[in-house]
């Protein structure tokens, strides 16, 4: 059983509260997901995030195949981090930790995703040619979109 990890950090020139308000609102997931994925929330996004919240989506990750995805928000520390876990969907395991940390000039957002592909050895074979590049593409889009919405982070060295 192979478990993969995607680990990404992004700095934004906003307050911790602004970052939290945006990221902890499930409706904003559609904003930072590529349009071609056909992301549509079916239920569960009608209130602020809380532990135990179940959110149901429809996504079209590959080849135009619509897939139902059900996640549960399992942990929430207001303003600090939250965890979503897949309960039903395309992965055998999906455990996504979102951290927000204040830094000089803004915030650091960190995503750590541990995931497992179904279909045994076949899943392991398609991971490097299909799954991993698709996840990277989605998170690259997210990085770009967040910069469009909130601006590009400038470190002190870049400002001089």
């Amino acid at each position: 059983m192979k478990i993969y990890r995607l680990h990404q950090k992004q700095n934004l020139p906003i307050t911790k509260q602004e970052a939290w308000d945006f990221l902890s609102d499930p409706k904003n997931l559609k904003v930072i997901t590529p349009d071609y994925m056909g992301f549509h929330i079916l239920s569960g996004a009608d209130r602020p995030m809380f532990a135990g919240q179940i959110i149901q989506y429809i996504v079209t990750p590959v080849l135009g195949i619509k897939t139902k995805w059900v996640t549960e928000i399992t942990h929430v520390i207001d303003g600090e981090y939250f965890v979503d876990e897949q309960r039903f969907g395309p992965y055998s395991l999906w455990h996504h930790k979102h951290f927000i940390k204040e830094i000089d000039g803004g915030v650091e957002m960190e995503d750590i995703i541990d995931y497992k592909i179904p279909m045994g050895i076949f899943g392991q074979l398609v991971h490097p040619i299909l799954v991993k590049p698709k996840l990277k593409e989605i998170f690259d889009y997210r990085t770009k979109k967040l910069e469009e919405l909130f601006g590009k982070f400038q470190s002190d060295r870049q400002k001089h």
Side-chain angles (χ1 to χ4, degrees):
M1 172 177 80
K2 180 106 171 112
I3 296 179
Y4 301 97
R5 174 170 278 187
L6 174 66
H7 186 191
Q8 185 158 315
K9 291 183 180 183
Q10 180 178 8
N11 295 341
L12 290 172
I14 58 177
T15 67
K16 194 173 179 185
Q17 191 60 52
E18 287 173 305
W20 180 258
D21 290 347
F22 184 83
L23 294 170
S24 67
D25 183 343
K27 291 188 285 288
N28 286 330
L29 197 49
K30 181 176 178 55
V31 174
I32 57 175
T33 300
D35 290 340
Y36 71 81
M37 290 203 56
F39 185 88
H40 177 69
I41 296 174
L42 298 173
S43 66
D46 54 340
R47 58 181 62 180
M49 187 176 293
F50 62 92
Q53 185 173 17
I54 299 286
I55 306 168
Q56 296 185 55
Y57 322 89
I58 294 286
V59 291
T60 310
V62 288
L63 306 173
I65 301 166
K66 287 185 189 257
T67 304
K68 191 169 188 178
W69 193 331
V70 179
T71 58
E72 178 181 356
I73 306 301
T74 57
H75 301 80
V76 178
I77 300 285
D78 195 45
E80 302 285 329
Y81 80 95
F82 65 93
V83 178
D84 67 83
E85 295 182 28
Q86 175 189 286
R87 292 294 174 246
F88 177 83
Y91 293 90
S92 297
L93 168 73
W94 178 269
H95 185 270
H96 184 180
K97 297 178 281 291
H98 309 254
F99 296 96
I100 301 169
K101 181 172 80 176
E102 205 165 355
I103 58 171
D104 283 344
V107 294
E108 175 188 88
M109 298 180 335
E110 182 178 21
D111 290 283
I112 302 171
I113 302 147
D114 293 296
Y115 62 98
K116 183 179 180 300
I117 309 296
M119 300 182 287
I121 191 72
F122 179 73
Q124 288 181 34
L125 291 172
V126 299
H127 177 259
I129 56 175
L130 183 65
V131 180
K132 185 177 180 180
K134 181 61 69 179
L135 277 175
K136 182 170 177 0
E137 179 184 304
I138 291 165
F139 276 84
D140 287 349
Y141 177 88
R142 181 172 292 185
T143 297
K144 193 172 136 233
K145 193 67 176 175
L146 287 167
E147 283 183 355
E148 284 175 18
L149 292 168
F150 299 111
K152 201 166 177 74
F153 183 82
Q154 299 284 318
S155 73
D156 285 339
R157 279 184 282 186
Q158 292 171 314
K159 291 176 187 173
H160 298 290

